[in-house]
Amino acid sequence: MPGIADKDDSLVVLGDNPLVMETPESLLDDDTTPTRKFFIRNNGLVPARTPDPDSWTVTIDGEVRNPLVLTLRELKTRFEAVTLRMVMECGGNGRSFFNPPAPGNQWTNGGVGCAEWTGVRVADVINAAGLKATAMFSGHFGADPHVSGGTDRQAMSRGVPIAKLMEPHNLIVWGMNGRPLELIHGFPLRLVIAGWPASLSTKWLTRIWIRDRVHDGPGMGGTSYRVPIAPMEPGAPPDLSNFKDLESMPVRSIVTSPADRMHFPSGTRELVLRGAAWAGDEDVAEVNVSIDCGATWHNATLDAPRNRYDWRRWTARVALPSDGYFEICSRATDSRGVSQPFAPNRWNPEGYGANPIHRIRVRVG
Ligand SMILES: Nc1nc2c(c(=O)[nH]1)N[C@H]1C(S)=C(S)[C@@H](COP(=O)(O)O)O[C@H]1N2
Ligand SMILES: [Mo]
């Protein structure tokens, strides 16, 4: 399979055609997720590696005054380059926690990573094209062939309302963690839409179509990346008039150390817990940890984010009363006071946005 030779052996393959790999929580213990540990989600095939990345073009057209066709070289010279560390999270992250099960890749918490992205602001490029008053929504296009092999149809093409598109953290990137993008992550050019499902962050980016209506590419409409407005009964047939696009990703925390099922020597009376927390468009307000499956909670200490949309690394020291078996939990709360639920709420037919409290098990002695 192209592009995965350098990946960490411990990534878990959830599917091989198209290729999907998740990162076990304990592999997300770095402040910045190294590229070799970064999850992979393809909906189509991986395009051939272009021999001439500087000549790769992205088209900005539709409801703009001056449609643009910009080469990667022009993007680098005409616009200010910025580097931001930001979370990228699959909309289906956590899907395996739904009951009844929702079909699709059975992500645990590993459809996420936090990398340093280098590129130009989407808003700067769109402003150079000049939005018309009729501009309402974007449609994003990548060069990956459909799984059938055909290049006449898109594997996936999603979009966002114009107000979100113009958010200054959204980038068109060529760099990831200080190096050119790997082919599997979108070389030579990808979109990064901050805080919303990663399906919007189109790899192998070729076009941003500015539309006068909600985009209707594959991955839009129906129950795709959509969640119920009024909560629905798990497993019930969906009423399509009750769905809206999943926008900001919900608050989530993970314990990244120790790993699940760790065994500590008899007499260990303190554990240092480490993890990460993030909350889509919101800030993380606090992270609490428990060693008794949520019967009692303690505060974790949060590191400062580098910039908005970065994740928060956290640490906590917890005392252990005895040897034995402990269920350690982490629960984050966002700036609106919304916490991770004990079991995923908001069941939906395609399994988006499941963010239950993370739980690991350790044994002492
Ligand atoms: N062109 C293209 N872009 C894409 C996809 C795709 O299939 N094709 N998958 C999307 C989805 S669903 C996710 S979760 C992220 C995964 O990004 P990664 O593989 O770099 O981790 O890419 C998004 N961008
Ligand atoms: Mo995804």
Side-chain angles (χ1 to χ4, degrees), residues 195-217:
W196 288 26
S199 50
L200 296 161
S201 294
T202 304
K203 306 193 273 191
W204 314 290
L205 182 70
T206 55
R207 178 185 184 203
I208 301 175
W209 180 21
I210 305 298
R211 307 208 53 184
D212 64 0
R213 65 198 68 185
V214 174
H215 187 50
D216 52 2

Side-chain angles (χ1 to χ4, degrees), residues 106-119:
Q106 294 299 305
W107 302 103
T108 63
N109 287 301
V112 69
C114 188
E116 291 176 8
W117 305 103
T118 300

